[in-house]
Amino acid sequence: MDNALNLIQSWINSSSWKVRIIPRSDHNDKCESLLGLTEHSTLGTIINHVGGISTANGVIRHFGGSNQFNLSIKSVNQILNQCPNAFPGVLVVADDIYGGLFGINNSLPIAKPGTMLYLPPDSYTWESLDIGHSAFVHWSMTGDVPLFYKKYRSIPVESNIPFQKVLDFSPPLWAADVAAGKFKYSMVESSQMHKTRSQLLEQLS
């Protein structure tokens, strides 16, 4: 079966940042049964072959198949009968160290189905990135990621944030002037941050 492994590897080889592959912990939950996808897609290939991919020196983390951190596409989205249930209208495929979420639009009216969306860490409104998933993965390895996160440049954070951790800021990023950079932060489990954001999104909707 043709897949996107060679394409993804070429992006990794072209990346000027550190890229880390998270291995799968088992070979259950293939993309075909999980979401009705094939390995012709970049997402299908990632789900079937890796547990996740950390890109841009660890800033962006793509979710794949089962892994040691319980941060697979299935677990993050609470997929049942090929339907994601955690985030209404969106299949979350990646997050970032600041608490932002990246997802593929399923049914939200802000963009066409299949378009990548971003939920910023300081907002509860999804924003369209106007690209598809493959282009997003490519960008996360070879694009101008620092420009995307320029708003947070003034916030000093340590390097090597673990794949399963996300930064929890005090005060919250939405509650203060980000440019001032006067924040304290701790590391919390990504799964807990996802749960909190999912619950708040459900309440707001």
Side-chain angles (χ1 to χ4, degrees), residues 42-126:
T42 302
L43 180 58
T45 297
I46 291 174
I47 291 173
N48 280 9
H49 291 272
V50 300
I53 307 175
S54 171
T55 66
N57 292 340
V59 173
I60 296 174
R61 293 82 64 90
H62 300 269
F63 307 126
S66 302
N67 57 67
Q68 62 179 310
F69 305 116
N70 195 31
L71 287 173
S72 66
I73 288 286
K74 181 180 180 179
S75 60
V76 169
N77 292 280
Q78 300 173 22
I79 294 175
L80 183 64
N81 297 325
Q82 298 188 349
C83 180
N85 294 285
F87 298 89
V90 179
L91 177 72
V92 170
V93 295
D95 68 6
D96 60 41
I97 61 171
Y98 302 104
L101 297 173
F102 297 93
I104 299 174
N105 186 34
N106 287 337
S107 60
L108 297 187
I110 63 171
K112 295 180 180 178
T115 301
M116 286 298 303
L117 307 178
Y118 182 59
L119 186 69
D122 56 355
S123 170
Y124 277 88
T125 301
W126 290 99

Side-chain angles (χ1 to χ4, degrees), residues 126-196:
W126 290 99
E127 302 174 355
S128 175
L129 298 181
D130 296 321
I131 58 174
H133 178 258
S134 292
F136 164 66
V137 176
H138 183 212
W139 167 82
S140 75
M141 297 179 184
T142 63
D144 196 348
V145 176
L147 178 63
F148 184 80
Y149 290 105
K150 65 179 180 179
K151 181 177 181 179
Y152 308 115
R153 285 177 182 169
S154 60
I155 303 175
V157 298
E158 62 188 274
S159 60
N160 300 319
I161 307 299
F163 186 84
Q164 75 278 20
K165 299 286 187 178
V166 66
L167 302 179
D168 186 25
F169 292 94
S170 179
L173 293 180
W174 51 262
D177 181 10
V178 174
K182 297 179 180 179
F183 292 90
K184 294 181 179 179
Y185 69 85
S186 59
M187 293 188 198
V188 299
E189 293 292 327
S190 300
S191 57
Q192 182 57 48
M193 179 68 77
H194 299 161
K195 182 178 179 180
T196 299

